[in-house]
Amino acid sequence: MQISSRFSVAVHTLLCVVVFKESYKVTSEFIAGSVGTNPVIIRKIMGQLKKAGLIEVMAGTGGTNHLKKPEDISLLDIYRAVDLFEDDQLFGFHDQPNPDCPVGKNIHTVLNHHMVEAQQTLEQKLSNVTLANILEALPK
Amino acid sequence: MQISSRFSVAVHTLLCVVVFKESYKVTSEFIAGSVGTNPVIIRKIMGQLKKAGLIEVMAGTGGTNHLKKPEDISLLDIYRAVDLFEDDQLFGFHDQPNPDCPVGKNIHTVLNHHMVEAQQTLEQKLSNVTLANILEALPK
DNA sequence: ATTGATGTAACCATTGACATTACACCGAAA
DNA sequence: TTTCGGTGTAATGTCAATGGTTACATCAAT
């Protein structure tokens, strides 16, 4: 299955915070209007970004700040904040291979190694792109 | 969400075909016994591997052959045979960004570029591993 | 105190994964 | 030519995750 759109929404959310925080009070409703979804969805994602130390949210009064500079926030940071799988494994694996079969007995060890490597290259690619890079590429 | 276990099951299936086809008639039930699942699941995956030109299945009599040498079957071939997403996109994207917002208007173009690149590095990694590599690594 | 916002809980609908039963069809071999 | 074992596939069911929505307690500042 596809990677959830939470990731793109989270990036969108952070972009809104960085771009608009000087001019507007960036509330969940404000962001939801830009993303095209429900404020509660945004609040949940803001909660994950907050837990990851990427933003702070003003309880009561409302509004959001980013806690790191855009050049210090990578896409991987955002991805990890909102898309956590079981055991951090991007690839799913069938969990009942037959231990009495020479193939079933060893496939997990052998195949998993390649899956982990593939996942790592993907994550490294994401870690090389920062929010600042995205901002530069956004037409003003 | 995680990538479906269909991929690992498909690799397992092909390994069974290659390893056991001289000694046994490799049926969906045989493979299901090694994978630890239901024969119908295996038949569906065999159907996808067949459509991808990786195997042939003997209707009526039963049994399976691989149509390429293990060194000519990459993990990417298998992955593509069984894990196809909408538009081939590994990453999901929210589909209603606000076109009247400078962020919403452009985020898809800018962010998608990096998503595609990340996906490509993952797929390239998979394309560099063959079924023969897996076979070599399997303890005999 | 009132106001506007957050943090959550509780639902709900939809979707995909995986499993299972059932059965039509096929091909070889008795 | 009937039988037998296997494939292809439809129909169903269960389960979990996604995305959406309403509701409401709580909070901070005015």
Side-chain angles (χ1 to χ4, degrees):
Chain A
M1 209 186 165
Q2 270 186 324
I3 290 171
S4 153
S5 71
R6 272 196 309 275
F7 175 48
S8 63
V9 172
V11 175
H12 193 147
T13 295
L14 270 164
L15 285 174
C16 281
V17 172
V18 172
V19 169
F20 295 118
K21 74 165 188 163
E22 306 298 341
S23 335
Y24 301 89
K25 182 162 72 165
V26 183
T27 67
S28 63
E29 194 176 348
F30 179 94
I31 299 169
S34 173
V35 170
T37 183
N38 191 287
V40 178
I41 303 289
I42 300 298
R43 281 182 228 148
K44 283 181 188 166
I45 287 178
M46 288 199 305
Q48 297 181 282
L49 296 175
K50 197 170 71 170
K51 191 181 294 181
L54 299 180
I55 62 173
E56 63 176 351
V57 182
M58 314 311 171
T61 165
T64 316
N65 278 309
H66 52 105
L67 293 175
K68 296 181 177 183
K69 286 175 292 184
E71 52 266 39
D72 292 332
I73 301 179
S74 74
L75 291 188
L76 182 60
D77 294 329
I78 305 172
Y79 174 76
R80 286 228 173 102
V82 298
D83 265 299
L84 275 194
F85 310 122
E86 191 176 357
D87 299 325
D88 264 327
Q89 293 262 310
L90 174 60
F91 288 88
F93 212 104
H94 55 293
D95 45 355
Q96 305 277 352
N98 189 337
D100 298 330
C101 167
V103 172
K105 184 178 186 173
N106 299 294
I107 183 172
H108 189 286
T109 309
V110 175
L111 181 52
N112 198 63
H113 166 253
H114 297 290
M115 289 173 163
V116 168
E117 278 205 349
Q119 177 179 349
Q120 282 173 347
T121 66
L122 180 142
E123 294 187 354
Q124 188 175 359
K125 200 81 183 177
L126 292 182
S127 73
N128 286 334
V129 181
T130 69
L131 211 56
N133 298 140
I134 306 280
L135 285 165
E136 290 160 21
L138 274 187
K140 184 178 70 71
Chain B
M1 214 188 161
Q2 272 185 323
I3 290 171
S4 151
S5 71
R6 271 196 309 276
F7 175 49
S8 64
V9 172
V11 174
H12 193 146
T13 295
L14 270 163
L15 285 174
C16 282
V17 172
V18 172
V19 169
F20 295 117
K21 73 165 188 164
E22 306 297 341
S23 334
Y24 301 90
K25 182 162 71 165
V26 183
T27 67
S28 62
E29 193 176 350
F30 179 94
I31 299 169
S34 173
V35 170
T37 184
N38 191 286
V40 178
I41 303 290
I42 300 298
R43 282 182 227 148
K44 282 182 188 163
I45 287 178
M46 289 197 307
Q48 297 181 284
L49 295 175
K50 197 170 69 170
K51 191 181 295 181
L54 298 179
I55 62 173
E56 63 177 350
V57 182
M58 315 310 172
T61 164
T64 315
N65 278 310
H66 52 105
L67 294 175
K68 297 181 176 184
K69 287 176 292 182
E71 52 267 38
D72 293 331
I73 301 179
S74 74
L75 291 188
L76 181 60
D77 295 329
I78 305 172
Y79 174 75
R80 286 229 172 103
V82 299
D83 265 300
L84 274 194
F85 310 121
E86 191 177 355
D87 299 325
D88 264 327
Q89 294 261 307
L90 174 60
F91 288 88
F93 213 105
H94 56 293
D95 44 356
Q96 304 277 351
N98 189 337
D100 298 328
C101 167
V103 172
K105 184 177 186 172
N106 298 295
I107 184 172
H108 188 287
T109 308
V110 175
L111 181 53
N112 198 63
H113 167 252
H114 297 289
M115 288 173 162
V116 168
E117 279 205 347
Q119 178 179 348
Q120 281 172 347
T121 65
L122 179 142
E123 294 186 354
Q124 187 174 359
K125 200 82 183 177
L126 291 182
S127 74
N128 285 334
V129 181
T130 70
L131 211 57
N133 297 140
I134 305 280
L135 284 164
E136 289 161 20
L138 274 187
K140 187 178 67 71

